[in-house]
PDB file of all heavy atoms in Angstrom:
ATOM      1  N   ASN A 175      -2.618  -2.933   0.663  1.00  0.00           N
ATOM      2  CA  ASN A 175      -3.759  -3.730   0.234  1.00  0.00           C
ATOM      3  C   ASN A 175      -3.340  -4.889  -0.657  1.00  0.00           C
ATOM      4  O   ASN A 175      -3.940  -5.945  -0.657  1.00  0.00           O
ATOM      5  CB  ASN A 175      -4.754  -2.848  -0.508  1.00  0.00           C
ATOM      6  CG  ASN A 175      -5.921  -3.647  -1.029  1.00  0.00           C
ATOM      7  OD1 ASN A 175      -6.536  -4.383  -0.289  1.00  0.00           O
ATOM      8  ND2 ASN A 175      -6.184  -3.542  -2.310  1.00  0.00           N
TER       9      ASN A 175
ATOM     10  N   PRO B 126     -10.731  -3.729 -14.009  1.00  0.00           N
ATOM     11  CA  PRO B 126     -10.570  -3.736 -12.570  1.00  0.00           C
ATOM     12  C   PRO B 126      -9.645  -2.616 -12.150  1.00  0.00           C
ATOM     13  O   PRO B 126      -8.561  -2.467 -12.682  1.00  0.00           O
ATOM     14  CB  PRO B 126      -9.917  -5.083 -12.292  1.00  0.00           C
ATOM     15  CG  PRO B 126      -9.145  -5.375 -13.526  1.00  0.00           C
ATOM     16  CD  PRO B 126      -9.827  -4.682 -14.666  1.00  0.00           C
ATOM     17  N   ALA B 127     -10.096  -1.815 -11.182  1.00  0.00           N
ATOM     18  CA  ALA B 127      -9.122  -1.078 -10.430  1.00  0.00           C
ATOM     19  C   ALA B 127      -8.512  -2.191  -9.608  1.00  0.00           C
ATOM     20  O   ALA B 127      -9.151  -2.723  -8.728  1.00  0.00           O
ATOM     21  CB  ALA B 127      -9.803  -0.044  -9.550  1.00  0.00           C
ATOM     22  N   SER B 128      -7.296  -2.642  -9.953  1.00  0.00           N
ATOM     23  CA  SER B 128      -6.870  -3.921  -9.386  1.00  0.00           C
ATOM     24  C   SER B 128      -6.723  -3.839  -7.878  1.00  0.00           C
ATOM     25  O   SER B 128      -6.664  -4.848  -7.215  1.00  0.00           O
ATOM     26  CB  SER B 128      -5.596  -4.423 -10.053  1.00  0.00           C
ATOM     27  OG  SER B 128      -4.635  -3.422 -10.064  1.00  0.00           O
ATOM     28  N   GLU B 129      -6.703  -2.601  -7.306  1.00  0.00           N
ATOM     29  CA  GLU B 129      -6.666  -2.526  -5.852  1.00  0.00           C
ATOM     30  C   GLU B 129      -8.004  -2.898  -5.222  1.00  0.00           C
ATOM     31  O   GLU B 129      -8.081  -3.108  -4.037  1.00  0.00           O
ATOM     32  CB  GLU B 129      -6.189  -1.159  -5.368  1.00  0.00           C
ATOM     33  CG  GLU B 129      -6.838   0.071  -5.982  1.00  0.00           C
ATOM     34  CD  GLU B 129      -6.235   0.452  -7.330  1.00  0.00           C
ATOM     35  OE1 GLU B 129      -6.352  -0.375  -8.255  1.00  0.00           O
ATOM     36  OE2 GLU B 129      -5.681   1.544  -7.468  1.00  0.00           O
ATOM     37  N   THR B 130      -9.049  -2.995  -6.020  1.00  0.00           N
ATOM     38  CA  THR B 130     -10.362  -3.273  -5.423  1.00  0.00           C
ATOM     39  C   THR B 130     -10.990  -4.556  -5.965  1.00  0.00           C
ATOM     40  O   THR B 130     -12.201  -4.706  -5.933  1.00  0.00           O
ATOM     41  CB  THR B 130     -11.330  -2.104  -5.668  1.00  0.00           C
ATOM     42  OG1 THR B 130     -11.363  -1.829  -7.056  1.00  0.00           O
ATOM     43  CG2 THR B 130     -10.912  -0.868  -4.918  1.00  0.00           C
ATOM     44  N   ARG B 131     -10.161  -5.466  -6.445  1.00  0.00           N
ATOM     45  CA  ARG B 131     -10.719  -6.704  -6.983  1.00  0.00           C
ATOM     46  C   ARG B 131     -11.528  -7.461  -5.931  1.00  0.00           C
ATOM     47  O   ARG B 131     -12.594  -7.998  -6.228  1.00  0.00           O
ATOM     48  CB  ARG B 131      -9.592  -7.597  -7.521  1.00  0.00           C
ATOM     49  CG  ARG B 131      -8.978  -7.055  -8.783  1.00  0.00           C
ATOM     50  CD  ARG B 131      -7.840  -7.907  -9.254  1.00  0.00           C
ATOM     51  NE  ARG B 131      -6.714  -7.863  -8.323  1.00  0.00           N
ATOM     52  CZ  ARG B 131      -5.457  -8.124  -8.672  1.00  0.00           C
ATOM     53  NH1 ARG B 131      -5.171  -8.461  -9.910  1.00  0.00           N
ATOM     54  NH2 ARG B 131      -4.494  -8.062  -7.787  1.00  0.00           N
ATOM     55  N   GLU B 132     -11.006  -7.486  -4.713  1.00  0.00           N
ATOM     56  CA  GLU B 132     -11.703  -8.215  -3.649  1.00  0.00           C
ATOM     57  C   GLU B 132     -13.076  -7.602  -3.401  1.00  0.00           C
ATOM     58  O   GLU B 132     -14.067  -8.308  -3.226  1.00  0.00           O
ATOM     59  CB  GLU B 132     -10.884  -8.194  -2.352  1.00  0.00           C
ATOM     60  CG  GLU B 132      -9.578  -8.983  -2.425  1.00  0.00           C
ATOM     61  CD  GLU B 132      -8.439  -8.183  -3.046  1.00  0.00           C
ATOM     62  OE1 GLU B 132      -8.562  -6.955  -3.145  1.00  0.00           O
ATOM     63  OE2 GLU B 132      -7.428  -8.790  -3.444  1.00  0.00           O
ATOM     64  N   ASN B 145      -7.496 -11.722 -14.125  1.00  0.00           N
ATOM     65  CA  ASN B 145      -6.648 -10.526 -14.106  1.00  0.00           C
ATOM     66  C   ASN B 145      -5.252 -10.856 -13.586  1.00  0.00           C
ATOM     67  O   ASN B 145      -4.753 -10.199 -12.699  1.00  0.00           O
ATOM     68  CB  ASN B 145      -7.344  -9.470 -13.219  1.00  0.00           C
ATOM     69  CG  ASN B 145      -6.668  -8.120 -13.272  1.00  0.00           C
ATOM     70  OD1 ASN B 145      -6.491  -7.496 -12.260  1.00  0.00           O
ATOM     71  ND2 ASN B 145      -6.245  -7.679 -14.441  1.00  0.00           N
ATOM     72  N   ASN B 195       0.284  -2.439  -8.648  1.00  0.00           N
ATOM     73  CA  ASN B 195      -0.498  -3.486  -8.003  1.00  0.00           C
ATOM     74  C   ASN B 195      -0.074  -4.870  -8.445  1.00  0.00           C
ATOM     75  O   ASN B 195      -0.884  -5.745  -8.679  1.00  0.00           O
ATOM     76  CB  ASN B 195      -1.982  -3.266  -8.278  1.00  0.00           C
ATOM     77  CG  ASN B 195      -2.470  -2.070  -7.528  1.00  0.00           C
ATOM     78  OD1 ASN B 195      -2.522  -2.073  -6.316  1.00  0.00           O
ATOM     79  ND2 ASN B 195      -2.762  -1.016  -8.255  1.00  0.00           N
TER      80      ASN B 195
END
Side-chain angles (χ1 to χ4, degrees):
Chain A
N175 177 51
Chain B
S128 51
E129 49 278 63
T130 53
R131 289 177 294 204
E132 293 83 16
N145 188 224
N195 289 293

